[in-house]
Amino acid sequence: MGAEIMTRSSASRPASAAALHRALAALGAAPTLDRIHRPRGPRPEDAPLLLGILLAKAELDATVIADPADEPPEGMTTLIQGYNTFICSEEVRLRLLALRLIRTAFDISLYEGADDLCTPAAETAVMTAANMINARRLAWHGSGPADQQALITALRSADQFSRSTMEDLEQARHQFTPRSKVAPKRSAQARRRRNR
């Protein structure tokens, strides 16, 4: 069934925990409720957890059904078309893109190890993109002094994250550069210092 024959349903309020649990059950991804602590079903405070499971289910399904590596990437094109059918406003779409990237950066930070130099670069790169998308949204859809100040803040943050990305990237590059290639340069520099 093509997106052109579907109509957009209105969702003025976030889904309740009970509705999210029913949706997950229909998708075969609902968590089993503890009947002792949840005798009446999901509680309102369970909504973020259930929504997170629903997001994961949707993203996992998308990797199978809408693989961007497919040629032509018809599944990916249709997936984005379906997404944009529900999100009609460009301002909202850009806001959601920025928030999605911020969630991604937060998720990346959970896996950072003491000796990991790639993860900080990935995290700051994602935050650079999030701030630039937010700046784009504010530049095109902002109105008034508050939005102008928010735009300046977003650009400043993007610049800071971009600089951090370059520093983190440089450190990661040095960490993974084979020592045999680095050693001759260092020894040549040491010889120059001795000859001064």
Side-chain angles (χ1 to χ4, degrees):
M1 184 182 291
E4 67 278 359
I5 61 171
M6 295 184 180
T7 57
R8 185 177 76 89
S9 60
S10 175
S12 57
R13 293 177 299 178
S16 67
L20 289 167
H21 193 266
R22 286 194 301 272
L24 287 168
L27 294 169
T32 303
L33 295 176
D34 184 336
R35 294 298 176 187
I36 296 173
H37 296 96
R38 299 289 189 275
R40 294 191 178 94
R43 297 174 182 171
E45 61 266 27
D46 296 327
L49 174 68
L50 296 170
L51 192 57
I53 296 170
L54 184 59
L55 279 171
K57 171 63 175 168
E59 289 180 3
L60 286 168
D61 283 5
T63 63
V64 176
I65 298 171
D67 187 348
D70 288 343
E71 190 56 45
E74 292 177 357
M76 178 60 72
T77 302
T78 309
L79 177 81
I80 294 169
Q81 182 183 359
Y83 182 89
N84 288 331
T85 297
F86 192 81
I87 308 298
C88 292
S89 159
E90 186 192 48
E91 193 272 338
V92 171
R93 183 176 63 83
L94 292 171
R95 186 187 297 272
L96 290 177
L97 281 173
L99 291 173
R100 186 194 305 168
L101 287 167
I102 292 168
R103 285 202 323 268
T104 299
F106 182 80
D107 198 24
I108 289 170
S109 71
L110 298 177
Y111 299 99
E112 184 177 343
D115 298 328
D116 180 13
L117 294 177
C118 291
T119 299
E123 183 184 352
T124 53
V126 171
M127 286 303 296
T128 302
N131 277 281
M132 286 307 301
I133 288 172
N134 202 33
R136 159 70 164 79
R137 178 182 66 82
L138 290 162
W140 284 64
H141 302 286
S143 59
D147 286 334
Q148 183 63 30
Q149 185 56 47
L151 171 59
I152 293 167
T153 301
L155 289 170
R156 187 179 299 122
S157 294
D159 181 57
Q160 291 170 348
F161 279 117
S162 178
R163 291 171 191 270
S164 295
T165 300
M166 295 308 297
E167 291 170 7
D168 294 335
L169 184 58
E170 185 68 12
Q171 289 180 17
R173 190 177 66 80
H174 283 303
Q175 182 185 30
F176 294 108
T177 299
R179 295 187 186 278
S180 58
K181 292 182 181 178
V182 177
K185 271 189 177 179
R186 288 180 177 169
S187 59
Q189 289 171 353
R191 282 197 299 273
R192 283 198 296 272
R193 282 196 294 268
R194 282 198 300 269
N195 292 334
R196 282 180 183 170

